Amino acid sequence: MKKAAMFLFVVVVLAGIGIYITYLRLQQHEQMRGQYTQQLIQEQKQLIDEQRKKLGHVPDQLPEQKTQVNVAPSIVSRPAPAQKPMFKCDGRQYCSQMRSLAEARWFIHNCPNTKMDGNRDGEPCESDSRRNTDPNWQ
């Protein structure tokens, strides 16, 4: 019984020493990791300082930029009162609803919510087949 108790005591002591050594190694690893992180931070700060010297004064933070929201205008531009408009905004939105290219151009420039200028270059109905086949579609 004494030998078993002594054996158990030695096993417990060796296990404790093993756990303690593992704990110390873990702490050492954490410390080395922290030092490595600090070294990387210092290197980055040095790079930033060198870049700032090359560029001159650069603020730490960029000023907030306000984003412009494109909102459809609530007021539709109209020709001068002396002129009678050739067309009027009547809710039509698509190329298939237009009778001519001139009408489509007028609509995209004067009416809200039109869907005739997919690439937004100011030229409507570019993929409409009537452009190439119908001589009245000018």
Side-chain angles (χ1 to χ4, degrees):
M1 179 81 179
K2 259 185 165 184
K3 284 186 178 184
M6 184 64 118
F7 178 74
L8 187 59
F9 176 74
V10 170
V11 170
V12 169
V13 168
L14 289 176
I17 291 171
I19 291 171
Y20 181 70
I21 290 171
T22 304
Y23 172 75
L24 289 178
R25 285 188 179 167
L26 181 62
Q27 276 192 332
Q28 184 181 20
H29 177 74
E30 290 288 328
Q31 186 179 15
M32 288 174 56
R33 191 172 169 193
Q35 289 172 348
Y36 180 69
T37 302
Q38 289 300 319
Q39 180 184 357
L40 289 176
I41 290 171
Q42 288 301 322
E43 289 173 3
Q44 288 297 315
K45 285 182 179 180
Q46 288 174 350
L47 287 172
I48 291 170
D49 289 342
E50 290 172 10
Q51 289 173 346
R52 285 187 176 186
K53 285 178 185 175
K54 288 179 184 176
L55 293 173
H57 176 71
V58 177
D60 288 333
Q61 293 181 338
L62 294 174
E64 287 187 29
Q65 294 180 352
K66 294 182 180 178
T67 57
Q68 183 178 3
V69 178
N70 291 332
V71 178
S74 59
I75 300 174
V76 177
S77 61
R78 306 217 186 266
Q83 282 183 324
K84 184 177 179 186
M86 292 178 57
F87 310 108
K88 68 176 185 172
C89 296
D90 55 10
R92 292 183 286 159
Q93 300 176 332
Y94 301 99
C95 293
S96 60
Q97 298 169 318
M98 300 295 131
R99 286 176 231 116
S100 69
L101 188 55
E103 185 177 34
R105 284 184 182 131
W106 189 90
F107 263 76
I108 68 164
H109 292 294
N110 296 289
C111 302
N113 303 321
T114 60
K115 296 172 177 62
M116 294 179 273
D117 187 12
N119 60 2
R120 295 189 177 109
D121 67 347
E123 186 60 27
C125 307
E126 291 169 310
S127 61
D128 194 305
S129 62
R130 293 179 287 176
R131 288 192 97 142
N132 301 323
T133 59
D134 187 352
N136 296 325
W137 181 260
Q138 297 299 324

